[in-house]
Amino acid sequence: MVDNSDHFRPVKWLATNLNIPVEMVYEKKFSQQSIYGMYKEQVKKEFFQKSQKSIPDNYVLIIDEINRGNVSQIFGELITLLEEDKRIDAEDGMPLTVTLPYSKKTFSVPKNLFIVGTMNTADRSVEALDTALRRRFSFQEMTPNYDLNELNYEVIPGVSANELLKTINSRIEKLLDKDHLIGHSFFMNRSGGSPLNNVVDAFYRNIIPLLQEYFFGDYGKIGLILGQGFVKLMEAENETIFAKFDYDIETRDVYEIIDHRGNHNTFKVAIKQLMNRN
């Protein structure tokens, strides 16, 4: 048996499929041989050094909740340097370099730097977003992705995670708008534990508190989204709780969130009611 491992070496390719004349790489011409002896003194090192510089790595700077900061104070005059035609090595551009006020060092932005800013469209601070920032960024809406493989599991028999999320979001959009839709990350089972435990945790740690914030404690609307398996109308209190006084009063309904943590059987029933499958 022949061990082929002696005939191969790992290669880190800097570039492939390039149509380059041999004279630019090597001092001698190649003939139709199977194997060539490459002598380092005849390799044109300047070509490889130049080629390596021409294939730079890309770098990504992510600024989370970018709309919450004062953009004019954070970037200052440097925001102009973010424009494509103002960057170093920009083709057909006008590269700019500025002197930093404190260090007095020159500063410029390379073209291989990509800046990603995240924000929540339901956040009211988006409305006051700096106009200069709007002009220099392209806005990409990230809607819930119901087709993710991580959502392709059953919460209860017959109800998948993506179907459950889609149902909740369709009701939120009817009562509010699409900017308040719940993201798919809440239903992604990242912990590797039981999918049902993950969904129960997501309901009581994320989804229900978020709905309470959305509807300012209007549990009637929360009930329209989650159903009577999660929201219960409390029994009317006896009117004797008030002090004796001659006044006609119209009391409001009082609701309660039903806590199914610790009881998966009742939670499964509540999910069926949410999906109108009871």
Side-chain angles (χ1 to χ4, degrees), residues 7 30-38:
H7 298 275
F30 289 162
S31 59
Q32 295 181 353
Q33 295 178 211
S34 300
I35 301 175
Y36 291 91
M38 300 287 289

Side-chain angles (χ1 to χ4, degrees), residues 102-234:
Y102 296 105
S103 65
K104 304 303 179 183
K105 294 181 179 179
T106 57
F107 181 83
S108 57
V109 179
K111 67 177 183 179
N112 62 328
L113 173 65
F114 297 87
I115 301 178
V116 178
T118 67
M119 63 180 69
N120 191 338
T121 53
D123 197 326
R124 292 182 179 85
S125 63
V126 174
E127 300 172 2
L129 197 60
D130 193 282
T131 305
L133 187 69
R134 290 183 182 271
R135 288 192 292 107
R136 288 170 173 84
F137 282 78
S138 60
F139 286 74
Q140 180 70 43
E141 184 181 15
M142 302 295 290
T143 56
N145 187 351
Y146 304 110
D147 298 324
L148 287 173
N149 290 331
E150 290 83 354
L151 299 184
N152 189 22
Y153 65 89
E154 285 191 333
V155 177
I156 63 173
V159 178
S160 61
N162 51 13
E163 186 181 9
L164 176 60
L165 178 61
K166 189 180 297 185
T167 299
I168 293 174
N169 277 339
S170 65
R171 295 169 182 173
I172 292 175
E173 188 171 3
K174 282 286 186 181
L175 294 175
L176 286 174
D177 51 55
K178 69 174 185 177
D179 288 338
H180 289 77
L181 301 184
I182 292 176
H184 48 254
S185 64
F186 290 149
F187 287 92
M188 294 172 64
N189 191 15
R190 297 181 297 270
S191 63
S194 167
L196 185 57
N197 284 335
N198 181 69
V199 173
V200 172
D201 191 55
F203 259 79
Y204 289 98
R205 293 187 60 183
N206 305 111
I207 297 174
I208 292 176
L210 200 58
L211 293 177
Q212 290 172 324
E213 181 181 339
Y214 282 174
F215 297 106
F216 302 101
D218 187 343
Y219 286 89
K221 291 181 179 177
I222 298 175
L224 290 174
I225 294 174
L226 300 181
Q228 60 187 1
F230 287 98
V231 182
K232 179 175 70 174
L233 177 63
M234 302 292 290

Side-chain angles (χ1 to χ4, degrees), residues 14-56:
L14 297 178
T16 59
N17 299 324
L18 301 179
N19 188 12
I20 301 172
V22 176
E23 303 82 50
M24 295 179 63
V25 181
Y26 201 58
E27 302 227 353
K28 291 186 176 181
K29 291 186 176 293
F30 289 162
S31 59
Q32 295 181 353
Q33 295 178 211
S34 300
I35 301 175
Y36 291 91
M38 300 287 289
Y39 301 98
K40 62 181 181 180
E41 61 271 9
Q42 294 178 346
V43 174
K44 297 183 178 180
K45 298 179 181 178
E46 63 276 6
F47 168 81
F48 293 98
Q49 292 170 348
K50 182 179 179 181
S51 298
Q52 191 170 5
K53 291 180 180 179
S54 64
I55 310 173

Side-chain angles (χ1 to χ4, degrees), residues 4 13 23 47 55 92 111 133 160 238 246 253 278:
N4 289 327
W13 298 103
E23 303 82 50
F47 168 81
I55 310 173
D92 301 325
K111 67 177 183 179
L133 187 69
S160 61
N238 194 320
D246 187 14
D253 292 330
N278 54 325

